[in-house]
Amino acid sequence: MTIKIAAVYASPRRSGNTAALLSAAMQGAEDAGASVDSIVLRDYAMSPCLEIYGCKEKGECAIRDDFQAVRDRILAADAIAVATPVFFYTVSAHLKIFMDRCQSLWVKKYWIDPQPAEKLPPARKGLIISAGATKGKKLFDGMLLSMRYFFDVLDAGVDETLLCRGLDFEGDIHRFPEYLEAARRLGAVFFR
Ligand SMILES: Cc1cc2nc3c(=O)[nH]c(=O)nc-3n(C[C@H](O)[C@H](O)[C@H](O)COP(=O)(O)O)c2cc1C
């Protein structure tokens, strides 16, 4: 069976460091037989969550914009790979907006259709790719904590991460071919 991956590019930079890493991982995955649906978040018009809880009855977000189409493409996939830069120790604004709109899925999962206490394994495999300019030990802690809860509403596990320190300017990633090779290899084995 061909595994279908939703690859979410969350940087405002089209050709930035995380985009290059995700593309390398997806190249590896495609070479190994996966099919990839690439979603560049900056191409979509999405309002932030307005906290009106129009989703309270049915788990469907009341704001109608590109959110629904992006959500459906992700939910149609067997696996999800998200690449975000670290911005102020968390995810990019593009991703945070999408993440907050997924509160409608949280409402569905935890208020409308609560599951039995016994926890089932997540339906989707999940990969997180990130990059930051600095090198501190805690650089990815805030981003990973947000992502763990976000992946939970998408019914995805945080099964694998690729976290790259010391990348700042656009193109910096190309000074580290070992990072790109690691991404390609990861993509080739992870999505089997
Ligand atoms: C708004 C903004 C906030 C940032 N915050 C951090 C940060 O908290 N820690 C850090 O190490 N780098 C930070 N950076 C640097 C980016 O994480 C870094 O340049 C990264 O490689 C960008 O990835 P991209 O090219 O995929 O967008 C920030 C950059 C911007 C523009």
Side-chain angles (χ1 to χ4, degrees), residues 147-192:
M147 288 297 290
R148 193 163 305 134
Y149 287 93
F150 172 53
F151 269 26
D152 175 70
V153 297
L154 298 176
D155 211 2
V158 179
D159 298 298
E160 192 56 82
T161 60
L162 179 64
L163 309 173
C164 301
R165 293 174 167 80
L167 300 173
D168 199 357
F169 300 105
E170 190 165 343
D172 273 0
I173 185 65
H174 299 292
R175 294 192 289 114
F176 297 90
E178 65 275 21
Y179 282 156
L180 291 170
E181 179 52 21
R184 195 199 57 75
R185 262 188 280 117
L186 182 59
V189 297
F190 177 64
F191 294 104
R192 288 206 176 132

Side-chain angles (χ1 to χ4, degrees), residues 11-13 16-19 85-89 131-134 139 167-169:
S11 171
R13 286 179 178 156
N17 299 314
T18 53
V86 172
F87 281 179
F88 287 94
Y89 286 86
T134 55
L139 176 57
L167 300 173
D168 199 357
F169 300 105

